[in-house]
Amino acid sequence: VSRLLQIFAMSGDVWQSWIANLGHDTYSFPAWITQQQLPCSCGFVKMTSDLTVRCVTTESGVESTVDWHAAVKADADRRKRGETGLHLRFCEARAWLLTHMPQFDLNFLPQSVTVNGTSMLDDVVAFALMADHAAAWSVSVPLDVRLSYLLPYGSYHESRQNWRPLMFAKFFGLVANATSAREAMGRLLAPNVFLQWGAHYWPSSPRQPTSGGYSLEWASSTTPPSVAPFDFVAYGYASCTGWATFLTYAARSVGIPARQAGTPCWNSVYNGVDFRGLAIDNSNVSLCWDGGSEQLGYGGGFLNNHNWVEIYDAGQWSFVNVPPGSKSTNEGLCGSHFQEAEGCGYNHSATAGHECNGVIGGPGAAMRDHEIFSVTWSLPGDTEEDVIDVKDLKLSNGRPASPLVWAPKLTSPLGLRLQNVGLRMVNRTEFYRCKPGMHHRS
């Protein structure tokens, strides 16, 4: 396999051979992926009173337990020595997903794009490996970041859709010769070519581009129904949540680590309703997080939320607002010249300590009950970031809260509340909030 990958690295367009016949019932994964897939098997074993995932590979009759933690450590050690990082491997990736995916997904996922596939989980891993090996920048990204923000197929408990094979086939050609994740993202955004759904096909596709194509558009206040990526394609429009989800997955499909970010409730006045301050002092804040009420109705002016995208490049996260107004990151959400040390809305011409006095709403005004979160499948301790389990999230008035403000009553058919189950976030408030006095400090 290593020799095959060395050959692949010498040919910039070999990825096209990996998707030959995709969209037909004769499609199969390339041999180098099948060679990793077939020896891999996973199941649950009982450890004390809990069930835990155990994946093994079997070669020449010898069974070896797969340890993705060890792979992350080995990748980090190589980087410390100045060596090239490790690529994703099939069984480690599958083990990571089975350990981190929402529990309700363990019982069913849609079918694979291959006749002999077990479920779309096969495709998730296989096409993540393709993107990881085809993207020139991939091994410059730490393995733990790629596991957390390249692999996952879901974020907001949206409907499960097998978007990765199709998006890789449609979009990788746009970024094939990019040398960094930031450059690749610019290729998708300049000028928003990822929206031209009908313009991008691959040689073996059963259909090819047609004149005029089919482009996706912005439409405010359409979450729900347009949240998951193929919701966006079917309706032809979406607002910020649908855009952020679609762009995040388009980025992941081509090897860019990405995640949705946003606030469930801006610290602002919206449509004449004051949502500012703490929930303990202002009952409108709870209405904002609940998406409304039975008495006053739901949606509309109660959804004072916004979502956008963050991508990882050169050791740091940067943001892309939606709808994107630039191919560059860190623009369009906080004005120009954003610096993390200062935050959004920082006024350099103001006197010391008053640089944030003019901030009214937006990310610069983020605070308790108006936090900014990024969605993650990481578990606490997986990365250096502080991961929050939404089941533990409460407003200042003590009420449980969920960032799923457009689906506050999300419940399983058997009555299990799901809006705060299996959902984890990274608190990004400190990154975005305006921080007065920073440029006056030594």
Side-chain angles (χ1 to χ4, degrees):
V1 174
S2 60
R3 176 56 183 160
L4 282 172
L5 296 180
Q6 290 174 8
I7 296 172
F8 293 158
M10 294 185 289
S11 177
D13 60 357
V14 71
W15 63 272
Q16 295 183 12
S17 69
W18 302 343
I19 56 173
N21 289 327
L22 179 65
H24 297 268
D25 57 14
T26 55
Y27 177 72
S28 60
F29 298 145
W32 65 275
I33 286 181
T34 303
Q35 289 172 10
Q36 294 187 41
Q37 178 189 18
L38 291 180
C40 176
S41 61
C42 299
F44 285 89
V45 296
K46 191 165 187 178
M47 301 290 288
T48 63
S49 60
D50 299 321
L51 291 176
T52 187
V53 174
R54 180 173 183 259
C55 293
V56 298
T57 57
T58 304
E59 296 184 14
S60 302
V62 178
E63 187 177 275
S64 302
T65 299
V66 171
D67 185 351
W68 65 265
H69 293 93
V72 167
K73 183 179 184 304
D75 175 81
D77 289 344
R78 289 174 64 92
R79 293 172 192 283
K80 289 177 183 177
R81 297 193 299 265
E83 300 173 6
T84 302
L86 298 175
H87 277 296
L88 292 173
R89 290 187 58 80
F90 193 97
C91 213
E92 291 161 356
R94 188 177 181 90
W96 190 96
L97 282 168
L98 290 171
T99 305
H100 292 75
M101 61 200 283
Q103 188 172 4
F104 49 74
D105 282 351
L106 292 171
N107 296 308
F108 174 78
L109 284 175
Q111 65 205 33
S112 168
V113 295
T114 65
V115 171
N116 65 337
T118 61
S119 77
M120 102 176 189
L121 196 67
D122 292 344
D123 304 343
V124 169
V125 177
F127 281 85
L129 262 65
M130 291 183 211
D132 185 61
H133 285 85
W137 62 86
S138 192
V139 289
S140 68
V141 178
L143 183 59
D144 63 328
V145 174
R146 281 177 283 148
L147 289 170
S148 298
Y149 301 107
L150 201 63
L151 267 183
Y153 53 82
S155 298
Y156 285 129
H157 291 1
E158 73 278 2
S159 66
R160 298 318 191 207
Q161 300 172 352
N162 199 2
W163 49 264
R164 195 181 294 269
L166 187 55
M167 284 189 168
F168 177 81
K170 276 180 170 286
F171 296 141
F172 193 81
L174 299 173
V175 306
N177 60 349
T179 58
S180 70
R182 195 180 302 265
E183 180 186 355
M185 194 67 171
R187 302 279 184 88
L188 293 177
L189 298 177
N192 288 343
V193 294
F194 71 97
L195 297 174
Q196 298 165 14
W197 187 254
H200 307 295
Y201 289 92
W202 59 103
S204 63
S205 170
R207 64 169 295 174
Q208 293 299 313
T210 56
S211 60
Y214 174 59
S215 295
L216 310 180
E217 300 178 356
W218 172 272
S220 298
S221 303
T222 55
T223 304
S226 188
V227 180
F230 294 159
D231 298 347
F232 195 179
V233 174
Y235 280 92
Y237 57 79
S239 51
C240 63
T241 305
W243 275 62
T245 301
F246 188 92
L247 184 55
T248 294
Y249 295 166
R252 289 180 182 176
S253 75
V254 299
I256 303 170
R259 62 192 186 186
Q260 296 97 317
T263 180
C265 184
W266 284 129
N267 185 19
S268 69
V269 176
Y270 179 60
N271 279 356
V273 181
D274 188 352
F275 295 109
R276 294 173 297 181
L278 296 172
I280 197 170
D281 301 319
N282 181 356
S283 61
N284 289 335
V285 176
S286 293
L287 286 174
C288 190
W289 281 78
D290 292 341
S293 69
E294 294 291 346
Q295 295 77 21
L296 300 174
Y298 290 95
F302 294 110
L303 289 178
N304 187 25
N305 65 308
H306 184 53
N307 292 294
W308 57 91
V309 178
E310 292 182 335
I311 70 165
Y312 187 91
D313 180 69
Q316 60 186 355
W317 290 99
S318 57
F319 58 82
V320 176
N321 196 23
V322 296
S326 169
K327 70 176 183 179
S328 301
T329 58
N330 289 351
E331 293 186 6
L333 183 68
C334 298
S336 57
H337 309 298
F338 170 82
Q339 295 183 42
E340 180 182 352
E342 299 168 349
C344 296
Y346 193 92
N347 182 4
H348 288 84
S349 63
T351 56
H354 298 276
E355 297 90 348
C356 299
N357 287 6
V359 174
I360 302 175
M367 57 174 278
R368 176 77 188 275
D369 295 345
H370 304 280
E371 293 94 341
I372 293 174
F373 297 111
S374 295
V375 189
T376 186
W377 276 15
S378 294
L379 294 167
D382 280 358
T383 68
E384 295 179 356
E385 294 185 299
D386 185 19
V387 175
I388 300 168
D389 193 319
V390 173
K391 69 179 176 60
D392 300 321
L393 184 63
K394 287 182 169 57
L395 300 180
S396 59
N397 60 5
R399 290 188 55 183
S402 169
L404 302 185
V405 294
W406 57 88
K409 296 187 177 183
L410 185 65
T411 307
S412 78
L414 294 176
L416 175 66
R417 297 294 295 270
L418 297 177
Q419 80 276 22
N420 59 0
V421 173
L423 195 62
R424 294 181 291 276
M425 301 280 163
V426 175
N427 193 332
R428 297 282 286 159
T429 303
E430 186 63 21
F431 178 86
Y432 289 97
R433 74 169 186 86
C434 192
K435 310 169 188 69
M438 294 306 299
H439 78 280
H440 296 283
R441 298 177 189 177
S442 57

